[in-house]
Amino acid sequence: MSDPMQPIVRRFEITAGDGLILRGEVFGDRLWTGTPVICLPGLTRNSRDFHPLAERLASDPDNPRFVMILNSRGRGPSDYDKNPENYNIVVEANDALHALAAAGLHEAVFIGTSRGGLLTMAIAALRPTAIAAAVMNDIGPVIDVTGLARIKTYLNRAKPVEDWDDAISFVKIANSGQFEALSEENWQQMAQMTFRDDNGKPARDYDIAIAKAMNDVDLSIPLPDAWPQFLAMSHAPVLVLRGAHSDILKAETVRQMVARHPDCQAHEVPGQGHAPLFVKDELNDLVATFLAEVDTKRAERTPCANPAFQTETEITYLEHPNQPDEDKIPEATPEETPPPRELTEEDIRRAKEQKLQDVLDIASEMAAMVEEEKSASHR
């Protein structure tokens, strides 16, 4: 088993049900006892968004856990889909379930940012038992169209970024008013999370067809809510993270999530908007604490595999007041059954006559039914 203080980081690839190759990273050892985690990034985001959190969780000295980060199809190093219609919630949710099975897991804590949270709710509807717990990062059953309009605007930027300074300027403008708590180093981290390094230059790290699909969303039409999908997680603990400046997840929606779910807690992340970045120790420590609580709750529900049996001397046998003494109970005598009687030729003759009569009766009934149908047809 690997050392949790130096978690092993491995890249993986799996084949989706339709043959597409999906890629991501795993941190730590699957044999660790902490409830495993699967992280699902946002609409055009990738696994780099979760690297700081994954390192924190996998290197926890007291409770290390296995963390898997999946790049959805068309994002990061995962293959782009030739059919843009496959960039939908149901297909991507099934991809995540496929990754869960490929890792040899039947359940996990799902941490979903934005669209990743929508995938988590879809997974809860498709296979509730896969959700051991969930962290919903700035997403809920009701989406504020104000944020969607802002996202559509920066996805439609025609001019590509030229260098990393340009990339940093881009993420600052795209997230204007959203992240006042970020330092210059954090802005650099956001740029590196958003763009991939292509020979020293920043490059888009998602299929442009995803952005084009957003153009088809008519924001004048109210979006359907996802309360049934959210409540499909009622069996599992849920942590809702909301950026204080979020324009996607309203505070009122968070209050309803806590009120409707039997085991849901919420935390507002100060100085951040949509969606909070896992670059601050305080936020990552909060998630680690929640996961430790999940482990405790699961341990309390798990039946003991090695029950402590009482010894013979520790068992007290109580006498029933109406129970007679054993020496007064009469012994049961088995009833004698008479031997079977041999059939005579007369018995066999009568049985054959009865069988023949039964056949004749059935034939007569069928003939009467046919005559009745003929008469009805001539009326």
Side-chain angles (χ1 to χ4, degrees), residues 66-119:
F66 174 80
V67 181
M68 181 181 196
I69 315 174
L70 177 67
N71 291 288
S72 292
R73 57 179 63 209
R75 287 85 162 179
S78 289
D79 284 357
Y80 290 9
D81 200 315
K82 294 179 179 179
N83 181 7
E85 293 184 0
N86 287 335
Y87 293 132
N88 65 68
I89 296 294
V90 174
V91 171
E92 293 170 19
N94 277 299
D95 286 344
L97 287 171
H98 194 79
L100 182 76
L105 304 172
H106 67 278
E107 64 176 348
V109 178
F110 283 80
I111 303 180
T113 293
S114 192
R115 185 181 180 90
L118 298 180
L119 298 182

Side-chain angles (χ1 to χ4, degrees), residues 81-327:
D81 200 315
K82 294 179 179 179
N83 181 7
E85 293 184 0
N86 287 335
Y87 293 132
N88 65 68
I89 296 294
V90 174
V91 171
E92 293 170 19
N94 277 299
D95 286 344
L97 287 171
H98 194 79
L100 182 76
L105 304 172
H106 67 278
E107 64 176 348
V109 178
F110 283 80
I111 303 180
T113 293
S114 192
R115 185 181 180 90
L118 298 180
L119 298 182
T120 299
M121 289 189 287
I123 291 168
L126 292 170
R127 191 185 302 172
T129 55
I131 307 289
V135 178
M136 304 285 285
N137 187 22
D138 211 61
I139 194 67
V142 180
I143 299 176
D144 189 345
V145 296
T146 304
L148 288 182
R150 177 179 59 81
I151 292 172
K152 285 183 67 174
T153 300
Y154 76 71
L155 287 181
N156 289 327
R157 172 186 168 122
K159 181 183 176 182
V161 295
E162 298 293 336
D163 52 35
W164 284 105
D165 288 336
D166 192 16
I168 294 172
S169 297
F170 170 77
V171 295
K172 286 182 176 180
I173 295 172
N175 297 281
S176 177
Q178 292 280 308
F179 294 93
E180 63 185 25
L182 297 189
S183 64
E184 191 62 28
E185 180 183 0
N186 294 148
W187 284 114
Q188 292 177 9
Q189 286 178 285
M190 180 185 280
Q192 292 166 352
M193 291 172 174
T194 304
F195 299 94
R196 61 182 172 84
D197 190 311
D198 185 9
N199 294 321
K201 290 188 176 183
R204 188 185 70 246
D205 208 12
Y206 60 89
D207 188 348
I208 193 64
I210 298 171
K212 291 179 179 178
M214 277 292 292
N215 291 333
D216 298 332
V217 178
D218 187 353
L219 299 182
S220 65
I221 301 175
L223 297 174
D225 65 58
W227 284 113
Q229 291 82 358
F230 173 72
L231 294 177
M233 299 190 293
S234 295
H235 65 285
V238 173
L239 170 64
V240 181
L241 302 176
R242 178 184 182 271
H245 305 305
S246 175
D247 54 5
I248 287 289
L249 181 61
K250 291 183 177 180
E252 176 58 30
T253 301
V254 175
R255 283 191 286 270
Q256 291 187 36
M257 293 168 76
V258 173
R260 296 190 186 191
H261 192 285
D263 189 4
C264 179
Q265 54 183 287
H267 176 79
E268 188 164 279
V269 183
Q272 297 206 51
H274 181 79
L277 300 174
F278 295 109
V279 296
K280 299 288 187 180
D281 291 340
E282 299 86 352
L283 181 56
N284 293 345
D285 289 344
L286 177 75
V287 174
T289 299
F290 169 74
L291 296 182
E293 294 174 358
V294 170
D295 290 341
T296 300
K297 292 176 181 178
R298 286 166 56 82
E300 292 173 350
R301 295 198 307 265
T302 303
C304 180
N306 297 307
F309 293 102
Q310 288 182 310
T311 63
E312 183 68 24
T313 57
E314 295 174 318
I315 300 175
T316 301
Y317 294 96
L318 301 179
E319 294 184 0
H320 193 282
N322 297 324
Q323 179 69 35
D325 295 336
E326 290 185 2
D327 55 357

